[in-house]
Amino acid sequence: MTRFPKLHAVAAAIAILAGTAAFSAAQSNNAANQQMADAKEIRDYQLTTDKLTRYEGAAKAVQKILKDNPAVQQKLDSDSQNSSGPNSIAQSAAALDKQTQLVAAIKSAGFGTHEYVVLTYALMASESYVAMKKSVANTPMPQDVSPANAAFAEANFARIQILAQETMGASN
């Protein structure tokens, strides 16, 4: 029997809390590392006119499926829930992979779900940057936007905005 049972209980509680804090810190580091890796992948993805044209068809088909099938939208929303922060590319693609109708629409345009998600993020980030730059001249380029994609978004700005409005109800 120990002479200081309360001290041992406190020490055990502190050790558990320290372990939990270390685990949380490791999870935070992993999440931050994943966000950096995703930002690099989005930045490195090269937007092209061909990809944009094929993406328009896929995005419109996906939007139609979601509009016509509210249960698919609800399931996608449910599968996309991430309490630890924004979804990673892999998490977003995995949520799409569970919806066979959406996968078929995406594949019909020649994309896998992973590339579709990366392309979506690259378009959104690049278009958002160009829109902000039009409002605030010296807007710094975000880490997930490459100069080439920014130039592409600027050259195709109206087309991308129309696509966003048609498929996401977005308005910039």
Side-chain angles (χ1 to χ4, degrees):
M1 184 163 219
T2 61
R3 294 173 56 181
F4 304 104
K6 287 185 180 178
L7 182 62
H8 286 283
V10 169
I14 291 171
I16 290 170
L17 288 173
T20 302
F23 181 70
S24 293
Q27 283 184 317
S28 292
N29 284 341
N30 287 342
N33 289 341
Q34 185 59 55
Q35 287 176 344
M36 288 174 50
D38 283 358
K40 181 182 180 335
E41 184 173 0
I42 293 164
R43 178 185 174 85
D44 291 348
Y45 188 83
Q46 184 64 49
L47 297 173
T48 67
T49 303
D50 174 62
K51 289 175 187 175
L52 179 58
T53 299
R54 290 186 294 127
Y55 178 82
E56 285 171 322
K60 289 175 184 177
V62 165
Q63 181 61 29
K64 180 172 179 8
I65 292 166
L66 295 175
K67 183 179 178 189
D68 293 348
N69 302 288
V72 173
Q73 177 71 60
Q74 289 174 333
K75 181 73 172 126
L76 183 62
D77 290 345
S78 172
D79 290 342
S80 297
Q81 295 299 317
N82 182 7
S83 61
S84 64
N87 283 341
S88 67
I89 291 168
Q91 289 168 324
S92 296
L96 284 170
D97 285 337
K98 294 178 182 180
Q99 304 301 321
T100 57
Q101 291 176 298
L102 300 180
V103 171
I106 292 166
K107 285 188 175 185
S108 72
F111 299 116
T113 55
H114 184 92
E115 183 178 6
Y116 181 83
V117 170
V118 174
L119 200 163
T120 300
Y121 289 160
L123 271 175
M124 288 179 5
S126 299
E127 186 272 341
S128 294
Y129 166 69
V130 170
M132 181 62 79
K133 193 174 91 169
K134 288 177 181 275
S135 298
V136 181
N138 293 324
T139 300
M141 191 172 297
Q143 68 179 15
D144 58 351
V145 176
S146 70
N149 284 348
F152 178 85
E154 191 154 5
N156 293 280
F157 190 71
R159 183 177 174 190
I160 296 168
Q161 282 197 315
I162 290 168
L163 175 64
Q165 290 170 359
E166 291 175 351
T167 60
M168 295 178 245
S171 59
N172 287 336

